[in-house]
Amino acid sequence: MDANFKQGMFDLFEQLKRNAVYLNYSPAAEPMLLGSSKFGGRPDVPQDFVWPYFESENYDKVRANRPLSFMAQINLAEAAEFDKEGLLPKQGLLSFFYELETERWGFDAEDKACAKVFWFKDLAALQQADFPADLAAEFCLPEFVLELEAGLSLPDYGDFVHNPKTQALPEQYPEEAKEFDWDEYDGLLAEYGYQPPEDDWSETSKLLGWPNTIQGPMEYECEAVSRGIYCGEPHELDEELRAEIERASQDWLLLFQMGTVENGDFELMFGDVGHIYFWIKKQDLAAGNFDNVWLVLQCS
C-alpha cells in the first residue's frame, strides 16, 4: 500500500475520530441507589411520570396499545467525566424505553412512538416506578449495574465505505480507497493505533461515537423517515428532495447503542445478533430536546 495513501488515511482518521462512552454491565448484587446508571430494573422517574405506550401489531397481527420496556438509564453527572466532547447534558438522568414485543425497526414513520428518551433534570425528585400491570414479565428486564468508560470511536468498514460523512478522502487516492476490503481497512485502523473495546462486538453498548453498523449507515434513513418517507424498501425521490435529505442527514448523531445483554439464563437480543440505536439531531442534543429521537434496529 502506497505510503502517501496510508498517511492520507491516517489524516482522515484524525478528522473522523469521535469520543464514545462505553457501557460495561454486571448483575446488580443489591438494590441500587436512585439515579444510578443501569440496564433494566425499575426506572427512576418523577412523581408525575406517565409510562409510555405504543400502538402497533405484533408478529401474530394482533394490534394493541402496549407499554414500552425500560431499557437503561444514565446518570449524566457520572457520564460527564467520560464525555470528552461535552455533548451530553451535565446533570440529571437520561432514560431509554423501547417496545420489545413488536420490536419495530424504525423504517416506518409510524414507528416513532416505539421508543422514548426522557431527560429527568432533578435527581432529588425521582422515585422508583412500578412496572405497568399490562407489561408482560418477559419484557420487564433484570437489573444490571453499568460502569462507564471513555474510548475512541472510528467508523467501521460499512460506515467508512458508504457514509457520506467519510467521503472526504484525499482527492488523489479515491479509487484505491474504493477497492478496500474489510480486512485491509481493519489493518489500517490497527496501524493507526485504534483498539476497539475487547468485548464481543454484538454486545457493545455505548453513548455517542460511531455506531457498529450491521446493515449500513442510518443517518439518511433517520432524516427521511422522520419526514414521513417509508424506508423499508427502495424508493424514488425528486433529485432536489433527495439532496436536501442527504444534507440534513449529516446533522444526525448516535445518542445510544445497545447490544446483546446476557447473563446466566437471561439473554436480551435484538433480532438476530442485532443492536438498537437511538439517533438525535445535533441541534436537539445541544438544546437538551429529546422529543425527536429516532430509533433504528439492525441485525444480521
Side-chain angles (χ1 to χ4, degrees), residues 60-110:
D60 294 324
K61 304 299 183 183
V62 176
R63 190 169 189 88
N65 196 32
R66 299 177 175 87
L68 275 60
S69 289
F70 169 62
M71 309 304 294
Q73 64 184 35
I74 307 296
N75 183 302
L76 291 167
E78 180 183 356
E81 176 185 351
F82 306 101
D83 175 17
K84 304 298 185 182
E85 296 166 358
L87 298 177
L88 299 170
K90 300 296 187 291
Q91 299 290 332
L93 199 68
L94 207 57
S95 293
F96 298 87
F97 291 75
Y98 176 55
E99 205 284 289
L100 283 173
E101 182 175 345
T102 60
E103 209 171 42
R104 303 295 293 179
W105 294 79
F107 50 65
D108 191 323
E110 293 185 359

Side-chain angles (χ1 to χ4, degrees), residues 140-152:
C140 300
L141 308 182
E143 193 169 70
F144 292 87
V145 177
L146 281 184
E147 293 184 0
L148 281 56
E149 176 185 4
L152 181 66

Side-chain angles (χ1 to χ4, degrees), residues 4 40 51 89 99 104 106 111 140 200 238 253 264:
N4 289 331
W51 198 283
E99 205 284 289
R104 303 295 293 179
D111 295 345
C140 300
D200 182 345
D238 172 84
L253 300 173

Side-chain angles (χ1 to χ4, degrees), residues 2-294:
D2 183 273
N4 289 331
F5 173 73
K6 185 183 293 187
Q7 184 57 55
M9 289 300 301
F10 292 168
D11 292 343
L12 182 57
F13 292 158
E14 283 293 312
Q15 299 173 45
L16 294 174
K17 68 182 181 182
R18 298 175 179 173
N19 180 69
V21 183
Y22 290 93
L23 308 175
N24 305 306
Y25 64 90
S26 58
E30 56 187 31
M32 298 180 65
L33 296 176
L34 284 173
S36 298
S37 296
K38 64 181 183 178
F39 283 161
R42 294 160 57 196
D44 301 330
V45 301
Q47 187 173 5
D48 60 353
F49 178 72
V50 177
W51 198 283
Y53 278 68
F54 173 61
E55 182 177 342
S56 69
E57 288 185 353
N58 63 12
Y59 293 105
D60 294 324
K61 304 299 183 183
V62 176
R63 190 169 189 88
N65 196 32
R66 299 177 175 87
L68 275 60
S69 289
F70 169 62
M71 309 304 294
Q73 64 184 35
I74 307 296
N75 183 302
L76 291 167
E78 180 183 356
E81 176 185 351
F82 306 101
D83 175 17
K84 304 298 185 182
E85 296 166 358
L87 298 177
L88 299 170
K90 300 296 187 291
Q91 299 290 332
L93 199 68
L94 207 57
S95 293
F96 298 87
F97 291 75
Y98 176 55
E99 205 284 289
L100 283 173
E101 182 175 345
T102 60
E103 209 171 42
R104 303 295 293 179
W105 294 79
F107 50 65
D108 191 323
E110 293 185 359
D111 295 345
K112 178 174 175 56
C114 78
K116 290 287 187 181
V117 179
F118 298 94
W119 177 24
F120 304 131
K121 299 179 183 180
D122 184 5
L123 293 183
L126 300 183
Q127 59 187 18
Q128 197 168 75
D130 291 324
F131 293 121
D134 54 347
L135 181 60
E138 63 184 301
F139 303 127
C140 300
L141 308 182
E143 193 169 70
F144 292 87
V145 177
L146 281 184
E147 293 184 0
L148 281 56
E149 176 185 4
L152 181 66
S153 176
L154 279 164
D156 62 21
Y157 177 76
D159 243 341
F160 180 80
V161 172
H162 300 294
N163 196 321
K165 290 180 179 177
T166 66
Q167 299 307 305
L169 283 169
E171 291 183 1
Q172 62 269 40
Y173 298 115
E175 294 305 316
E176 186 172 350
K178 292 176 183 176
E179 296 172 3
F180 272 162
D181 63 27
W182 196 297
D183 289 337
E184 288 172 327
Y185 180 71
D186 282 354
L188 268 177
L189 288 177
E191 286 191 57
Y192 173 71
Y194 177 54
Q195 296 292 332
E198 295 180 0
D199 291 347
D200 182 345
W201 171 86
S202 67
E203 296 181 3
T204 299
S205 296
K206 58 188 171 184
L207 298 162
L208 308 174
W210 289 91
N212 296 109
T213 59
I214 302 172
Q215 299 170 328
M218 291 165 261
E219 292 91 333
Y220 177 90
E221 178 181 334
C222 290
E223 180 64 26
V225 76
S226 67
R227 295 176 180 226
I229 298 169
Y230 181 74
C231 293
E233 58 189 23
H235 53 266
E236 296 292 332
L237 293 179
D238 172 84
E239 184 175 333
E240 185 175 342
L241 175 58
R242 178 174 290 274
E244 179 186 334
I245 292 174
E246 288 178 350
R247 286 192 299 271
S249 71
Q250 303 311 299
D251 291 336
W252 287 89
L253 300 173
L254 178 68
L255 177 61
F256 173 49
Q257 169 186 307
M258 188 170 182
T260 300
V261 178
E262 58 182 334
N263 180 263
D265 294 333
F266 173 78
E267 179 183 69
L268 172 65
M269 181 183 293
F270 304 104
D272 182 11
V273 196
H275 296 97
I276 54 173
Y277 313 82
F278 291 77
W279 290 87
I280 190 169
K281 280 201 164 186
K282 62 183 182 182
Q283 299 92 331
D284 283 339
L285 182 56
N289 176 14
F290 297 94
D291 293 340
N292 302 315
V293 167
W294 195 266

